[in-house]
Amino acid sequence: MSNAIDVEALRTAYLNQVFDEVEVTLDAEETAAYAVSCGEVSPCFTDPSDPDFQAPPTLPASLHPGRRRPKGFPKVVGLGMDAGKAVHCHLPIRAGVKLTAKTHMHDIYTKTGRSGRMVFFVNRMEIFDPEGQLLASADTSSVVRERPEQ
Amino acid sequence: MTVTRITDVEFGDTLPVFDPDTRLANVARFVEAAHWNGPRFTDHEAARAEGLPGALVPGIMSQGFLAAMIHRWAPKAEILYVDTVFRAPVIVDQPCHINGVVTDLDEATGEVEIDLTVTNDAGETRVFGTARARLPN
């Protein structure tokens, strides 16, 4: 039996449907510690008392969804690994504000190399403020290298 | 040297290299703040028991190093986008270097594109990426 992933079927069934929603409120001291440990030096990232204090731009990549795949998503056979992260920043993210993070599958695509086909899954988490403004989005890419047919 | 506005920047400019703190205590502080705590990031022996070469600097921390490097070069830069590919592990307590070069700029919008890499002392690229940032006109 073939283990090949039917990418088109998965795209049709699962792309662009929100499958997870979590609420997050950033703690100011933790947000500053995140920035300082990364090497930020501007008080707007490192000093919670700064009037423009905000999260460092890549912090959204650290937020965890409640689940990583939509309900009913088939088990994928192969060797999986983290492929990368991308963050789009739209507006500053402030500590102490209740944020809503909604996650959907943004893309599923393939690349073929000498060792066979690799399937990439891209989850996009969008982060909104209480007024519903989109503040940032964070893409998490994972890749599965399909096992060769036996 | 820092830049304050888009007119200070030229195509092909190399950003000053930033050597971030990859020591265990700093990585421990990061994972605590990020809620990513786990022995693979804070304990070399535990990481080796998982088959890793040593405790890992989380990929999201490397991504944070890239953003910090841009802000050190251009303190008023507003980062719009950072895309990062994790090519190989960055190991805790091993020095690494953040490098960047301006690959595109638009004086009308103030936007610059920067290619970024994280390299180790052997010159091996561990992480690479692209960022877009806006500078004042």
Side-chain angles (χ1 to χ4, degrees):
Chain A
M1 195 175 90
S2 171
N3 286 329
I5 299 166
D6 186 342
V7 171
E8 279 311 310
L10 292 179
R11 288 176 59 87
T12 301
Y14 293 105
L15 286 193
N16 301 316
Q17 299 172 34
V18 173
F19 65 84
D20 185 76
E21 182 171 327
V22 293
E23 288 188 347
V24 184
T25 303
L26 300 180
D27 175 85
E29 294 299 332
E30 288 179 344
T31 301
Y34 191 111
V36 170
S37 55
C38 288
E40 295 283 2
V41 291
S42 169
C44 75
F45 301 119
T46 64
D47 180 0
S49 69
D50 187 272
D52 191 32
F53 182 67
Q54 59 188 272
T58 61
L59 186 142
S62 72
L63 301 178
H64 298 285
R67 53 184 303 129
R68 296 183 187 281
R69 291 283 183 262
K71 282 183 181 168
F73 197 82
K75 185 171 170 56
V76 174
V77 178
L79 302 169
M81 62 194 97
D82 194 355
K85 300 260 188 194
V87 179
H88 290 82
C89 311
H90 302 293
L91 291 166
I93 297 178
R94 311 287 183 185
V97 174
K98 187 186 282 187
L99 307 169
T100 302
K102 300 179 181 181
T103 302
H104 66 269
M105 293 199 86
H106 177 66
D107 201 3
I108 306 171
Y109 62 95
T110 62
K111 289 185 177 180
T112 303
R114 279 175 298 203
S115 59
R117 193 173 76 146
M118 296 179 292
V119 185
F120 290 77
F121 301 89
V122 183
N123 277 1
R124 174 165 290 179
M125 175 186 278
E126 294 180 310
I127 298 159
F128 299 89
D129 69 7
E131 286 71 48
Q133 289 190 100
L134 178 61
L135 306 181
S137 64
D139 291 354
T140 298
S141 299
S142 58
V143 58
V144 172
R145 194 175 74 198
E146 290 182 316
R147 292 187 174 133
E149 296 294 329
Q150 299 298 310
Chain B
M1 181 192 133
T2 59
V3 303
T4 55
R5 55 189 64 252
I6 187 71
T7 49
D8 296 336
V9 183
E10 302 227 10
F11 177 83
D13 277 355
T14 300
L15 281 64
V17 175
F18 167 47
D19 294 343
D21 184 352
T22 60
R23 290 174 295 182
L24 194 63
N26 193 46
V27 174
R29 175 163 64 167
F30 174 83
V31 296
E32 181 82 21
H35 299 259
W36 274 52
N37 230 328
R40 65 164 47 189
F41 302 124
T42 56
D43 182 332
H44 286 297
E45 285 308 313
R48 288 187 191 110
E50 286 188 49
L52 300 166
L56 305 179
V57 175
I60 55 168
M61 188 176 190
S62 292
Q63 193 179 45
F65 294 157
L66 301 179
M69 184 251 212
I70 293 170
H71 285 138
R72 284 165 175 253
W73 167 69
K76 294 188 185 303
E78 177 192 353
I79 293 179
L80 305 172
Y81 173 70
V82 185
D83 188 6
T84 316
V85 177
F86 307 130
R87 183 175 181 181
V90 177
I91 305 300
V92 172
D93 289 324
Q94 293 183 5
C96 71
H97 317 287
I98 315 300
N99 318 277
V101 61
V102 175
T103 55
D104 197 12
L105 63 89
D106 183 338
E107 290 202 359
T109 63
E111 291 186 14
V112 295
E113 189 168 284
I114 303 163
D115 277 2
L116 299 154
T117 56
V118 179
T119 55
N120 60 14
D121 271 351
E124 299 164 334
T125 298
R126 316 304 281 176
V127 178
F128 64 92
T130 304
R132 200 167 63 250
R134 185 184 298 127
L135 280 77
N137 281 308

